[in-house]
Amino acid sequence: MPPEAVEPSVSSPPARGIRGELRALLALAVPLCIAQAGQSLMGVTDTFIVGRAGTSALAAVGLSHALFFAVSSFGMGLMMGVDPLVSQAIGAGHPRRARDVLWQGIWLSAFVGVVLWAVLITVPSGLPWVGVAEEQIVQVRAFLHFRAPSLPLMLIFLTVRAYLQAIGMPRPLVVSAVLANVVNLALVPLFVFGGQSLPAWAGPLTHVPAMGAAGAALSTLLCTAMEVLIVARAVQLIPVPGTPSRKPVKADQLRAFRVGLPIGLHIAAEVGVFALAGVLAAKLGPVSVGAHQIALSYASLTFTMALGIGNAGSVRVGWAVGAHDTPQARRSGLMAFATGAVAMSLSGLVFALFPLGLAKLAGAPPEVLPLLLPLLMVGAIFQVFDGVQGVGAGVLRGAGQTRFTFVANIVGHYAVGLPLTLLLGFHLGMGVLGIWWGLCAGLITVAAAVLWRFWRVSAGTLRPLEG
């Protein structure tokens, strides 16, 4: 590949007109959506397979996933500070600078990942204080024992993803996601239920012990490591002019940290309120938390469309800002908003029309169905708002506007959503359904705020973060 291929999309003329902009956005968004869905699908696979081991195991996995993402979300957002720095460097025609930023992001993600690993393994000690049963705590602790080591690997993967999407090369992300899901689908039932039921020709696999919920975490750890190796090899094959520096550079890491800190706080705030919802559901019993986890797994899977479109919008807005073309940044951002809203509306229709089919596909236990079906209907309603706020965070990130999303999430989820969650779920006795209506109200507030913010800032002049 010649050096100029590092920035294939940037070297071409900017998209003009609605159709041209839509084609350009989808060319990047579709593979990113597939890659993003692949990441979420591993968690869905864990939920579906472990659910067949019983309601208690399902509840443990649901709570474990909530705690994992409550802690890891800060690191995930922090590393997204690399996104606008890389895409704007590419838009400005500086591929060497983009590679330098990648290496500093890798150093930063490794350090942050190890710190969060240490934090995560201490979290189960606080669960008795919120009324979680001892049986679930034991399974949660075992799950996180294997899931926590994947944190540094996951953050490194996200940093490399930022680079690959910024240079318009998402194919390795798709390949890694597909292969990881194939391997995960084979390993999860093996580790969860053990190999004693396998035929004799399976050899050593027949001696694999049944690990329960912890087996799903071990599978995810191995698959995450495989993904990192695949994308790292892809980057190694991409030439850039000159010799990028691989040594730690404090100034560059601090710059990425400053850009990413508000993103980390905003994502931690968003994921934190969903994690808190999971803990509140756990206080209502295993049936409630099981229904919550299945519905949340579906919502998380469909939300990958918004994340993929948001990432594509972030790249296109970042390219335009780096090239000092604010009108193009506005066109790219608004098209991303519209595309995300339409895509998530379609997924909402699926939730509304086929709730029973989705519940059966998830292998929901009979006692979970009466709670799960109404939750899927609520999920259908907030899909479009979840899409708008997810895409909005992406396009604002590409423009370098990372602080507002944090404020919007704090106000939307904690000043609006959480009080309604407590009011409806507990004071008015609606249970887990009330919890979800509260979450819905928070998402609507955030969606309106980020759309307003981008409309306002893109009406002026957007300036690159560097130079």
Side-chain angles (χ1 to χ4, degrees), residues 47-377:
T47 299
F48 287 6
I49 292 178
V50 174
R52 287 163 170 77
T55 303
S56 177
L58 175 62
V61 167
L63 184 55
S64 298
H65 276 301
L67 295 174
F68 177 83
F69 284 106
V71 173
S72 66
S73 60
F74 173 75
M76 294 165 63
L78 184 63
M79 300 322 305
M80 286 183 183
V82 174
D83 288 23
L85 293 172
V86 175
S87 62
Q88 290 180 15
I90 293 295
H94 300 144
R96 160 72 183 278
R97 176 58 184 159
R99 184 68 72 90
D100 288 341
V101 172
L102 167 64
W103 274 107
Q104 300 315 309
I106 290 174
W107 283 108
L108 183 60
S109 59
F111 173 75
V112 172
V114 171
V115 172
L116 294 180
W117 175 356
V119 172
L120 184 61
I121 59 177
T122 66
V123 170
S125 301
L127 292 179
W129 294 94
V130 292
V132 179
E134 180 63 28
E135 177 188 3
Q136 290 187 35
I137 294 175
V138 171
Q139 294 185 72
V140 167
R141 198 182 301 275
F143 185 98
L144 294 180
H145 175 77
F146 290 102
R147 191 71 168 96
S150 69
L151 254 172
L153 296 173
M154 184 182 71
L155 297 186
I156 291 173
F157 176 84
L158 292 177
T159 302
V160 179
R161 184 189 71 180
Y163 176 79
L164 290 173
Q165 68 189 24
I167 64 173
M169 189 178 171
R171 183 178 178 182
L173 301 173
V174 176
V175 172
S176 66
V178 171
L179 290 179
N181 275 277
V182 170
V183 174
N184 190 57
L185 186 60
L187 292 182
V188 171
L190 176 64
F191 292 156
V192 170
F193 300 107
Q196 63 273 11
S197 61
L198 295 176
W201 54 261
L205 294 179
T206 59
H207 301 295
V208 174
M211 300 175 62
L218 175 58
S219 176
T220 301
L221 170 61
L222 297 176
C223 291
T224 303
M226 182 181 70
E227 287 183 300
V228 171
L229 292 175
I230 292 172
V231 296
R233 178 57 178 167
V235 170
Q236 189 179 28
L237 296 176
I238 301 171
V240 292
T243 304
S245 174
R246 300 184 180 184
K247 296 181 180 180
V249 178
K250 184 178 180 180
D252 285 346
Q253 292 180 32
L254 287 176
R255 183 179 293 108
F257 183 87
R258 284 195 298 268
V259 176
L261 181 59
I263 307 174
L265 294 174
H266 123 241
I267 294 183
E270 181 180 357
V271 175
V273 79
F274 278 89
L276 181 57
V279 173
L280 293 174
K283 294 185 68 173
L284 297 171
V287 174
S288 291
V289 75
H292 169 80
Q293 178 57 27
I294 292 176
L296 188 60
S297 294
Y298 275 123
S300 299
L301 182 60
T302 57
F303 184 61
T304 58
M305 291 192 296
L307 289 177
I309 295 169
N311 286 339
S314 175
V315 170
R316 290 194 56 75
V317 170
W319 285 346
V321 172
H324 299 275
D325 189 348
T326 297
Q328 176 59 39
R330 184 177 176 86
R331 283 192 295 271
S332 297
L334 293 178
M335 177 56 70
F337 269 113
T339 304
V342 171
M344 294 299 284
S345 295
L346 294 176
S347 70
L349 282 176
V350 174
F351 277 42
L353 296 176
F354 308 105
L356 183 59
L358 293 174
K360 290 182 177 179
L361 178 63
E367 65 272 19
V368 171
L369 283 177
L371 290 179
L372 175 58
L373 298 182
L375 293 189
L376 291 174
M377 297 303 293

